[in-house]
Amino acid sequence: MADFVTRFAPSPTGRLHRGHALSALTAWTAARAAGGRFLLRIEDIDPTRCKPEFETGILDDLDWLGLDRDGPVRRQSDHLHEYAGVVDVLDRRGLLYRCFRTRREILDAIGDAPHGPADAARPGPHPAEEEAALLAGGRPFAWRLSLDRARAALGDRAWAQLSFVEEGAGPDGERGLIPARPETAGDVVLARKDAGTAYHVAVTHDDALHGVTHVIRGHDLFEATHVQVLIQALMGWPTPVYRHHPLLLDASGRRLAKRDKAETLQSLRERGMDPAQLRAELGF
């Protein structure tokens, strides 16, 4: 099926581990089985944590696993102006507002929120005079997507029809046609004055640009789908089919993570593991 397009989209914030190998192999195998395309995207929009040496390591690891790619590698840091254009479109449509609250202030509000964290994550715009004073003082701000304005822009009927098809399974076994619930995330940040674009903008933009038909990724990103479906609807982009898969867990039941020093593919290679052995271990 030539119109099957999927991608593997790691962030170069460390070396890949078995969990990344599972996700990459799942997407690559699905693409090859369908006669489709497998794209590689480097999601390096965080300049403080992403390093060129880790990007090089990602390419080495995928080559070692035997995962060939179709087309050039997409490096998101080379396309920040495109994501800024998306934010500008949404702002000109009146769907965004400036939020000057710090991350700590938002977290404190979430802890004190009587109706749950989603309500606290919808701080709303500042009064006009207060906003003008904060801007004049050079206070950093984030652009937040207003759920109320987004719903008004789409209309109640279109809002109620927001949904996505899950061909894998969510963390609680969700599958089939799933209603999107962007309200569970609150008014998400789409950009920061001092840090460029946010993940939700970059990922939906690139999926639409490259005609991604199937997003294949782990359970940890299942909830992000709800917000991404909303952005796709607002921008007139198609919603791909989603296939979420379980995560690999360590001996204590926690998912493998870079921050927990999960054993890297580089380490496996250096101690002599054959890539076919790892593929078999992961069920491929």
Side-chain angles (χ1 to χ4, degrees), residues 118-276:
D119 285 341
R122 298 180 64 182
H126 294 259
E129 291 185 4
E130 180 182 344
E131 179 175 300
L134 291 168
L135 284 172
R139 177 82 173 265
F141 63 86
W143 286 111
R144 286 186 178 271
L145 174 63
S146 168
L147 288 178
D148 291 338
R149 298 176 187 177
R151 181 167 187 158
L154 290 176
D156 288 341
R157 182 175 181 180
W159 180 273
Q161 292 175 343
L162 290 173
S163 61
F164 62 96
V165 174
E166 175 60 61
E167 286 189 345
D172 296 319
E174 303 94 334
R175 53 172 46 91
L177 185 64
I178 298 177
R181 297 173 290 104
E183 64 275 7
T184 60
D187 291 350
V188 295
V189 171
L190 296 190
R192 296 185 185 278
K193 182 180 179 182
D194 56 349
T197 191
Y199 165 73
H200 292 303
V201 170
V203 70
T204 52
H205 173 277
D206 287 355
D207 284 345
L209 178 69
H210 294 123
V212 170
T213 62
H214 291 73
V215 173
I216 301 173
R217 59 190 184 184
H219 280 170
D220 55 326
L221 290 170
F222 179 81
E223 291 302 327
T225 310
H226 297 279
V227 172
Q228 289 165 13
V229 168
L230 172 58
I231 294 173
Q232 290 156 358
L234 291 171
M235 293 300 297
W237 294 333
T239 294
V241 171
Y242 289 85
R243 293 184 187 177
H244 291 89
H245 61 76
L247 304 174
L248 284 186
L249 306 178
D250 62 19
S252 65
R254 295 182 304 177
R255 74 181 181 94
L256 298 182
K258 298 172 187 174
R259 64 176 177 273
D260 296 327
K261 309 299 183 184
E263 186 174 22
T264 66
L265 301 189
Q266 178 186 27
S267 176
L268 297 177
R269 210 161 48 241
E270 290 173 348
R271 65 180 176 85
M273 176 176 275
D274 185 273

